[in-house]
Amino acid sequence: MTSTVAPSTSAATGGPSLPQERRLVTEVPGPRSRALLERKAAAVAAGVGIAVPVAVVAAGGGVVVDADGNSLVDLGSGIAVTSVGNAHPRVVEAVQQQVAAFTHTCFTIAAYDGYVEVAEALNRLTPGDHAKKTALFNSGAEAVENAVKIARKHTGKQAVVVFDHAYHGRTNLTMALTAKNQPYKNGFGPFAPEVYRVPMSYPYRDGGLSGAEAAKRAITQIEKQVGAENTAAVLIEPIQGEGGFVVPAPGFLAALSAWATANDVVFIADEVQTGFARTGAMFASEHEGIVPDLVTTAKGMAGGMPLSAVTGRAEIMDSAHVGGLGGTYGGNPVACAAALAAIDAFEHDGLVERAAAIGDLLLGRLRAAQAEDPRIGDVRGRGAMVAVELVDPATGEPDAALTGRVVKYAYEHGVIALTAGTYGNVLRFLPPLAIDDALLGEGLDVVLEGLAAA
Ligand SMILES: *Cc1c(COP(=O)(O)O)cnc(C)c1O
């Protein structure tokens, strides 16, 4: 049997044993990648876009290898998913054992150990030492939808408050919760009702409001336009992901959380992107000392397998009736096995500390670059979740075109870098925590070369 995208290198398997190097043997995209992209264009719906035009055949540690034999430095982790490293050996082994034992029962038909063990781990690891319970799902959007269902059932109220620049997913309810029209919502309405958007704390763009001032602005808007007596939940990313790695001013999250508690409003932290060591803490809520009522998790949790969760106060989680939560695949045994292996790595392989060290390296280098280049308007983030905002130095206006040119330069020179932000002008860095310093530094060199060239 022949394939138009057979690997041309010996890299048939991934994992950390792949040579940890940037290696270009063709232009990017090379001929085999281009062949796949042509088939993709003919066979796959146009709405499913591709940011980096390569056909992947293997990945591991800090590299992604394409069908032409190019080895790209991975500064994106498939959007903060392969934090433990792609094809992590313990994840692979756990998946192989589970897949050979049984692949599915539907947990709501017949139970198995892995689901309960993931729930126990999440109850133990998420912020706060109160009694907690967990329910598992497949995607981040599904976790967010279920957190809203649970908050509504618990409070008997309907309104959900979300923030400017928020991203919570692409299903109907989560489109309504997400701020940005293009590309996430445009033409896909009508959207779910009873969703209210209030201003975020965005230190670079809100004139430097303090956390307390920004919280007062948001709370006043909730009280005047929605009413606490109608509000089921305040839903927020502790550091915004797709919105551009916006880190709210200190005290903002704590003030909102205190207001929610005082008003019988469920405070939901969407830690789908920030969770599992990514920010140099197991959960980003910890940096601000907040204890959310509910936490949603997904991306980094299961080493690349699809799994998500809602974890929170037992009395809130238990407010949904039997049969009200679930789904055919939620908490699939293979995904749970992967999560248990990944969680073991997060806890015991020093990955929280590693994320913090990656953050020091990234922030140090990028702040030094900012001092030389006025197009770098802002450098921000925590741990291995760091971004720069590129602007026109004369006007301070967001420069999305420049950002796009840097990303293109990067992949053409063997580095996967991602964009983000309401204005499309944020370059974001989400390297696997398994990347080594040399490769991370080289990846960053290429991105900064791209900025110099653009
Ligand atoms: C990615 C993301 C989601 C949606 O997750 P999917 O698995 O893509 O549905 C929700 N919230 C946040 C904060 C995210 O980053």
Side-chain angles (χ1 to χ4, degrees):
M1 206 182 92
T2 58
S3 160
T4 44
V5 254
S8 65
T9 69
S10 59
T13 56
S17 57
L18 278 181
Q20 294 297 298
E21 62 182 9
R22 182 170 65 103
R23 180 183 69 234
L24 291 179
V25 297
T26 69
E27 61 184 345
V28 178
R32 287 165 186 264
S33 288
R34 287 201 301 273
L36 180 69
L37 292 167
E38 269 170 39
R39 280 170 49 212
K40 182 261 176 192
V44 179
V48 181
I50 290 184
V52 179
V54 295
V56 177
V57 294
V63 299
V64 170
V65 177
D66 76 12
D68 297 291
N70 301 301
S71 173
L72 290 84
V73 180
D74 183 8
L75 299 183
S77 307
I79 317 190
V81 169
T82 54
S83 296
V84 294
N86 220 312
H88 184 289
R90 287 187 344 247
V91 172
V92 171
E93 200 198 329
V95 164
Q96 284 171 340
Q97 279 181 11
Q98 180 57 49
V99 89
F102 64 98
T103 50
H104 174 83
T105 67
C106 186
F107 187 75
T108 60
I109 301 298
Y112 40 88
D113 188 81
Y115 188 116
V116 177
E117 213 177 322
V118 170
E120 288 166 348
L122 284 164
N123 296 346
R124 179 168 53 80
L125 290 170
T126 49
D129 48 20
H130 49 281
K132 290 179 217 153
K133 290 201 173 178
T134 287
L136 300 180
F137 304 97
N138 301 290
S139 68
E142 213 187 337
V144 171
E145 291 234 4
N146 278 279
V148 170
K149 279 167 64 173
I150 293 165
R152 285 177 169 158
K153 188 76 197 253
H154 173 73
T155 58
K157 301 189 274 185
Q158 294 190 348
V160 181
V161 170
V162 291
F163 292 80
D164 285 334
H165 314 290
Y167 182 85
H168 298 293
R170 290 174 142 110
T171 57
N172 185 264
L173 174 57
T174 59
M175 277 194 294
L177 300 169
T178 289
K180 195 175 175 181
N181 175 48
Q182 258 308 359
Y184 306 123
K185 304 168 74 164
N186 194 32
F188 296 146
F191 303 110
E194 290 305 311
V195 173
Y196 299 90
R197 193 169 309 285
V198 300
M200 179 64 181
S201 167
Y202 189 161
Y204 178 61
R205 291 196 176 272
D206 67 7
L209 283 186
S210 71
E213 290 164 331
K216 183 160 186 274
R217 178 177 65 173
I219 289 166
T220 302
Q221 189 164 322
I222 300 168
E223 288 180 337
K224 297 303 164 201
Q225 299 185 11
V226 190
E229 63 274 37
N230 300 311
T231 303
V234 167
L235 166 65
I236 190 164
E237 301 154 88
I239 298 174
Q240 290 184 321
E242 307 306 295
F245 291 13
V246 177
V247 185
F252 179 73
L253 294 171
L256 285 172
S257 160
W259 178 87
T261 302
N263 288 280
D264 184 32
V265 171
V266 176
F267 185 87
I268 307 170
D270 183 353
E271 295 240 21
V272 165
Q273 192 155 155
T274 51
F276 291 99
R278 176 54 54 187
T279 67
M282 194 59 90
F283 293 94
S285 295
E286 295 167 32
H287 296 292
E288 291 290 318
I290 56 165
V291 177
D293 298 314
L294 301 181
V295 177
T296 55
T297 51
K299 291 192 166 88
M301 172 158 51
M305 298 296 287
L307 186 68
S308 69
V310 184
T311 302
R313 295 187 188 280
E315 67 278 15
I316 300 178
M317 291 298 295
D318 279 342
S319 58
H321 47 276
V322 173
L325 305 178
T328 307
Y329 297 108
N332 169 273
V334 182
C336 286
L340 291 170
I343 290 170
D344 185 68
F346 285 121
E347 281 202 274
H348 300 118
D349 293 356
L351 294 186
V352 172
E353 296 74 19
R354 180 64 193 140
I358 287 173
D360 290 343
L361 191 152
L362 286 172
L363 289 168
R365 295 252 348 245
L366 292 167
R367 286 190 178 131
Q370 182 186 26
E372 315 267 280
D373 187 341
R375 296 173 302 167
I376 301 180
D378 195 24
V379 177
R380 58 180 180 246
R382 276 192 164 121
M385 185 169 180
V386 166
V388 300
E389 191 159 333
L390 299 181
V391 298
D392 177 338
T395 61
E397 285 297 308
D399 196 340
L402 172 64
T403 313
R405 289 199 299 277
V406 175
V407 165
K408 184 160 188 282
Y409 180 99
Y411 72 65
E412 286 174 349
H413 293 80
V415 176
I416 297 175
L418 308 178
T419 63
T422 294
Y423 315 104
N425 68 323
V426 174
L427 269 179
R428 58 168 155 173
F429 300 94
L430 287 166
L433 308 180
I435 197 169
D436 65 52
D437 279 356
L439 204 59
L440 177 62
E442 186 176 342
L444 202 50
D445 287 341
V446 170
V447 172
L448 291 172
E449 270 166 40
L451 184 58

